[in-house]
Amino acid sequence: MTMALDLLVRLVQTPKELEDAFFVRREVFVKEQGIPLPLEQDEYDEISQHIVAYHEGEPIAAGRVRLLDAHVAKVDRICVLPQFRRQQVGVRMMQKLEQYATRTDNDYDVHVIKIYAQIHAVPFYETQDYRITSPEFIDGGLPYRAMEKRWLFVK
């Protein structure tokens, strides 16, 4: 069993934190996976709530969430630098994104979170109670499956 990293996972609130999130995304999606930058950074960046995780003051993971409607949120661009994978960083990232999306201090009643998971990440999301909702499809040259998690609660 791996010891949990000393990790600070926070909602992005400053331009520096946003640049830190974009740095991690470029490292993982553009440099490691070969996704073209114009596909990786998109129009949804402006309307999403971003998160970033820091270890010893350095950004190591990122993600974002946006509302699709009053009941459905979409989580995407979840990424962790390679040397920090398999150390529960992804779990902490998903907890923070889900906590933000389902918070009760707004006018929304989110009870479904959708995600497009790269095929290699599907087992991870299944451990987080996400279920596959689509056949395999290609996006940006990589294979994905649509997944979602549902909550049954009332505000």
Side-chain angles (χ1 to χ4, degrees):
M1 174 141 168
T2 318
M3 284 193 52
L5 286 177
D6 180 22
L7 199 61
L8 172 63
V9 181
R10 54 181 294 115
L11 297 173
V12 166
Q13 297 175 338
T14 69
K16 169 72 167 95
E17 291 169 346
L18 184 58
E19 182 48 44
D20 288 346
F22 288 157
F23 164 78
V24 176
R25 286 172 43 183
R26 283 190 306 271
E27 289 296 307
V28 173
F29 296 125
V30 178
K31 291 183 181 177
E32 180 184 342
Q33 296 182 356
I35 296 171
L37 186 59
L39 290 180
E40 198 290 308
Q41 289 188 296
D42 61 21
E43 68 275 15
Y44 300 119
D45 282 325
E46 294 180 17
I47 60 170
S48 296
Q49 172 62 59
H50 298 264
I51 67 166
V52 63
Y54 294 93
H55 173 64
E56 297 179 352
E58 296 298 318
I60 66 161
R64 70 182 186 188
V65 62
R66 71 182 186 279
L67 294 172
L68 299 181
D69 63 39
H71 305 293
V72 181
K74 174 94 186 283
V75 167
D76 59 6
R77 301 303 197 268
I78 306 301
C79 56
V80 179
L81 293 178
Q83 63 270 36
F84 296 101
R85 293 179 188 153
R86 303 193 186 286
Q87 298 180 61
Q88 301 299 304
V89 176
V91 171
R92 297 268 306 276
M93 297 291 289
M94 291 305 296
Q95 288 170 343
K96 188 73 165 186
L97 287 162
E98 291 171 0
Q99 177 187 39
Y100 174 82
T102 60
R103 69 196 190 283
T104 57
D105 65 344
N106 61 35
D107 295 331
Y108 300 98
D109 182 21
V110 171
H111 56 264
V112 177
I113 294 182
K114 296 183 177 225
I115 191 166
Y116 291 167
Q118 291 182 11
I119 292 299
H120 70 84
V122 166
F124 164 76
Y125 291 111
E126 287 176 326
T127 69
Q128 304 305 302
D129 297 323
Y130 284 79
R131 299 293 167 247
I132 294 169
T133 59
S134 80
E136 187 174 308
F137 62 93
I138 303 296
D139 188 18
L142 299 173
Y144 286 82
R145 299 287 294 266
M147 301 182 80
E148 67 181 38
K149 183 174 184 175
R150 295 178 171 267
W151 285 264
L152 299 175
F153 57 77
V154 179
K155 278 192 177 184

